[in-house]
Amino acid sequence: MAKRSNEPFFWAMFSSGGMLAAFLAPALVLLLWFASPLGWVDAPSQEEMSTKLGHPLVKLGLFAFIMLSLFHAAHRLRFTLYDGLQLSHLSALIATIAYGCATVLTLCAAYLLLTFS
């Protein structure tokens, strides 16, 4: 009996992370880095941001965005190293490092979101 591959899981994480990053990251950059400093929109106060970021659904959404973006980046880096630099002989090591870093950073994000009040 052949061993089942875990590739579909990582491709699903890659595609959903890419989709979220493509839709949300430009909007966040536009609002936080351009519109607010240029005075096009009013910048939220520290109290407003603290209240909004303290809501459990906002934390869950941020966690999903961060986690999926990290796994998207890990998957892209993995296949860039395989195909671009022809390092396919190090496939197990590269996969372990890439997905391990994504997992550790996801756990750090979860910790920071859970401890934020």
Side-chain angles (χ1 to χ4, degrees):
M1 182 175 209
K3 182 182 173 194
R4 293 186 73 176
S5 173
N6 60 3
E7 279 297 310
F9 172 76
F10 290 114
W11 277 105
M13 298 287 275
F14 170 77
S15 62
S16 49
M19 189 231 14
L20 275 177
F23 282 118
L24 295 179
L28 289 173
V29 167
L30 178 67
L31 284 173
L32 298 176
W33 293 355
F34 292 105
S36 183
L38 292 173
W40 298 343
V41 296
D42 292 332
S45 68
Q46 178 72 23
E47 184 179 301
E48 287 175 322
M49 287 301 291
S50 181
T51 302
K52 290 176 185 175
L53 292 176
H55 194 277
L57 289 177
V58 173
K59 287 182 181 184
L60 183 63
L62 279 173
F63 176 74
F65 176 67
I66 292 167
M67 177 190 66
L68 291 172
S69 295
L70 287 171
F71 275 94
H72 174 81
H75 202 71
R76 185 172 291 275
L77 177 66
R78 174 185 173 197
F79 282 97
T80 298
L81 293 175
Y82 285 176
D83 299 333
L85 297 179
Q86 302 296 315
L87 296 176
S88 58
H89 61 283
L90 299 173
S91 63
L93 177 64
I94 292 170
T96 302
I97 291 172
Y99 296 128
C101 287
T103 302
V104 168
L105 291 172
T106 297
L107 292 173
C108 290
Y111 173 76
L112 290 173
L113 287 170
L114 287 173
T115 58
F116 183 79
S117 54

